[in-house]
Amino acid sequence: MSMLEGRIRIPSGCAISAVISREGRRMTGEKIIESMRPMHERSNGLGGGFAGYGIYPEYKDLFALHIFYDGELCRAACEAYLRDHLEIVKGEIIPTRKIPNITDEPLIWRYFVTPLRSVLASRQLDENEFLARIVMHINTHLQGTYVFSSGKNMGVFKAVGFPEDVGAFYRLEEYEAYCWTAHGRYPTNTPGWWGGAHPFALLDRTIVHNGEISSYDANRRYIEMFGYKCTLQTDTEVITYIADFLQRKQGLSLTELASVIAAPFWSTIKRKPTEEERLNLSFLRKVYPSLLITGPFSIILGFEGGLMALNDRLKLRSMVVGEKDDLTFIASEEAAIRAMEPEAENIWSPAGGEPVIVTVKEGCY
Amino acid sequence: MPGINYFYPEFEVVRNDARCIRCQVCARQCANEVHSYDPERDLMLSDESKCVNCQRCVSLCPTRALKIVKSDCRLRENANWEGDTIREVYKQALSGGVLLSSMGNPKNYPVYWDKILINASQVTNPSIDPLREPMETRVFLGKKPEKLERDENGNLKCELTPQLELSMPVMFSAMSYGSISYNAHESLARASKELGIYYNTGEGGLHEDFYVYGPNTIVQVASGRFGVHRDYMEAGAAVEIKMGQGAKPGIGGHLPGTKVGPDVSRTRMIPEGSDAISPAPHHDIYSIEDLRQLVYSIKEATGHKKPVIVKVAAVHNIAAIASGIARSGADIIAIDGFRGGTGAAPTRIRDSVGIPIELALAAVDQRLRDEGIRGNVSLVVGGSIRSSADVVKAIALGADACYIATAALLALGCHLCRTCQTGNCNWGIATQKPELVKRLNPDLGYKRLVNLMTAWNHEIKELMGGMGINSMALRGNRLMLRGVGLTDAELRILGISHAGE
Ligand code: SF4
Ligand code: SF4
């Protein structure tokens, strides 16, 4: 018990990959599962997961909650709590298939929900903030219950296992998404719990991350001032909250977000050609010194309508980008990109701290 | 009662007569007049009763003929009634007065810095080599906005309330002109300018010669308001309101009249030779609302161009006090721990009032975070920061920067004899006697300060690199710290785990 994720901090090495169609064309999960095979060595079977965007078009205006339960009692308690705050349009078990390598699964449910208007009005919150608080409450206060996906028209699927097996387990070939991200984990310790696998998600934002950030506790203690609770002690969790805080609450753009968490060095800022750039960059650095993430990382931040890939400012983790037609691929290794698209072109390695932002054409998602 | 007031001297002067060449350097160097030459017998004599063990004569004796040792003539040993304790009783029975001391609390209280260890990267993430990769120690002190704003075109509004920019997270703490010499001040001012940091005038005003260093000067306003006037306020880069000092929480500054010569008298705007004793409280601050008024008056008076620092001593309820200050409009809170130095303080207060800075810092940083107002203020801590490792530990506990004073004086030659209150500092620091002041050469003094800080900055970078951290995102990263030999209560307050956990 004492070794469960969240009680201790577990460093991990990892593999990440992503594919996105700029035209909003939807692809089944097979491609992304393929991408993880050549990177098998980067995981050790102790965590894998996927996020797909555009997978629930029939419920696209509802929040899709994916929840792990330790048992039926937990489910009853959580559903009672959900009913007090949300209208549950649909609740069902997430379909899975039996795989020998994936064992000890919790109960895995999903719900399509919308906030009860009356409750929303009385709390004076917008629906995103309302939902975020519900998720945060469940994850910190309801024993044996863990919401691992909470956005609209998207979903996270994760488990303890190798990513290829996790993909098969969740039958991802049956889902179609315009953007997929994936993660394989190499924790130095046995997390023993499915919630600890990645992607990590809050609302429509998901993060897959490779690396171990050395600024973790400074980042965590800062972000916890704003109502976030880092229950998992993982880097990915804290990065997700930082992205949520800076984008949703502070209204920063993706590029601005990148220049906070992978801030350019002062010497680089000094060399920027325009006064405006210098002013903006130093302003963000002065305001958010505690949200600079140091230590090696490559992350892919997924959100409704796009993704952003980013390396730490020293580029201490590998990450490559490639393209083919309307598709953009991102992965820890070129081999993963080739597995998805042997003909991929324009393969390049973004520089440290240089965000790669890919968005889907307006109206196509 | 014959003999009752006699104490055998604390130190003995040991002179190796075979080495002594009768050059009389010691006699000229010792302002306490310990050494003298007897021409008739061609002998160097010593009156060790006056010796304070400042090591000046030892350091300058050309033949290394001198050493000062602790006298072994002492009262019968008693773990409860130690020699010093008994001696102090005798002294007070004679004088009826309050005991005075200087420099920081020398008693054997726990030094938490020495029970905290720093982390380093191994395997799962790489350390960063500061010789090969950029490593940033720059910090900005001041309030950070809660909410970002944009103009009508959607551009970020980049105005910030005034900030202090430091090239490294260390500043020279308040030491007044008067308590220390002109040359000491000049060294601090010039070093700050060269280093891109700040020094602090203390409560004695600013000598007109040093206005040129204004951009690297923090001007202090204390309860005595010595030397405070319009130009003074405008000269500095920031204004510090001194509410308290770690060495003497609850009382005001204390400068003996012997140190108030013509220059000091002019700078402080007080009569020559008069004791400068600041009132215990500010007479316009009897509560937190009053502090707020003073903070805003100072901001008004300086056109909202300078950050305002509020300096307090670390006392029992420091977390609540700091939280009040963070809501009072102050931009920076400086907390001074109970081991902080002083030019003169009542011994009993120095040795038994206040709390360690490590615990105060940890409690304050956590409280401000719990209340979500950590961004309102920067935290600067002092009160015995002795090395770059202490600085790194302080930052990781949650400080934005450190104040150092004793370490700076050591760099200038101080030998910690703890008799600054006498005004006879043989090293030209805590004195106003021209013949002593000139012993401190500011051209060399400032260079030594620059060296010390440069060395510390290198070490800070190495420690950071080891942890895999290359910016001041180190602040508050308590996971990088572990305690050794600390109790559960101490670990809880420090917010760190025990080594091995
Ligand atoms: S007071 Fe200093 S200079 Fe004088 S004898 Fe003692 S150690 Fe030497
Ligand atoms: S400043 Fe001078 S008098 Fe004070 S402790 Fe140092 S050496 Fe002694």
Side-chain angles (χ1 to χ4, degrees), chain B residues 426-453:
Chain B
N426 271 324
W427 293 92
I429 299 167
T431 177
Q432 298 302 327
K433 298 185 174 158
E435 67 281 11
L436 298 179
V437 172
K438 73 166 192 264
R439 293 179 180 181
L440 171 59
N441 177 345
D443 291 336
L444 302 178
Y446 107 88
K447 196 71 217 159
R448 287 176 60 83
L449 288 168
V450 171
N451 285 347
L452 179 72
M453 288 300 97

Side-chain angles (χ1 to χ4, degrees), chain A residues 284-296:
Chain A
L284 289 172
R285 279 207 72 173
K286 286 182 203 169
V287 178
Y288 298 118
S290 295
L291 294 183
L292 205 171
I293 301 177
T294 60

Side-chain angles (χ1 to χ4, degrees), chain A residues 315-337:
Chain A
K315 191 149 177 106
L316 295 171
R317 280 287 185 270
S318 59
M319 190 175 75
V320 283
V321 181
E323 288 173 338
K324 178 74 185 168
D325 306 326
D326 64 324
L327 298 182
T328 301
F329 308 93
I330 297 160
S332 304
E333 292 177 17
E334 187 179 333
I337 294 181

Side-chain angles (χ1 to χ4, degrees), chain B residues 461-497:
Chain B
K461 289 179 177 181
E462 284 198 335
L463 288 164
M464 285 168 56
M467 291 181 268
I469 292 175
N470 59 10
S471 83
M472 279 295 141
L474 169 65
R475 189 191 76 177
N477 196 334
R478 296 191 184 174
L479 205 55
M480 289 296 158
L481 303 176
R482 289 290 188 276
V484 270
L486 294 176
T487 64
D488 283 352
E490 289 164 327
L491 291 168
R492 176 172 46 77
I493 296 162
L494 290 167
I496 62 175
S497 302

Side-chain angles (χ1 to χ4, degrees), chain B residues 127-238:
Chain B
S127 42
I128 303 171
D129 183 344
L131 296 175
R132 294 177 175 81
E133 303 281 355
M135 183 65 68
E136 300 182 317
T137 52
R138 188 183 309 198
V139 277
F140 290 85
L141 305 182
K143 184 182 169 67
K144 315 291 183 237
E146 267 167 50
K147 189 97 187 88
L148 301 189
E149 287 176 33
R150 292 183 186 270
D151 63 16
E152 56 284 1
N153 303 322
N155 296 324
L156 275 179
K157 285 194 189 162
C158 294
E159 291 104 47
L160 276 176
T161 50
Q163 310 270 316
L164 289 183
E165 176 178 347
L166 278 64
S167 64
M168 61 182 285
V170 182
M171 305 190 282
F172 299 128
S173 184
M175 288 177 278
S176 68
Y177 176 47
S179 78
I180 60 170
S181 65
Y182 178 97
N183 286 357
H185 252 216
E186 179 178 337
S187 306
L188 290 164
R190 283 167 64 185
S192 305
K193 180 165 181 221
E194 179 149 331
L195 289 161
I197 60 171
Y198 300 84
Y199 84 107
N200 187 314
T201 59
E203 61 170 309
L206 180 61
H207 193 281
E208 62 259 20
D209 296 354
F210 301 144
Y211 274 67
V212 292
Y213 302 106
N216 295 91
T217 307
I218 294 168
V219 294
Q220 200 182 60
V221 173
S223 57
R225 301 286 199 271
F226 300 121
V228 176
H229 50 86
R230 192 195 175 98
D231 294 348
Y232 170 74
M233 304 275 280
E234 272 169 13

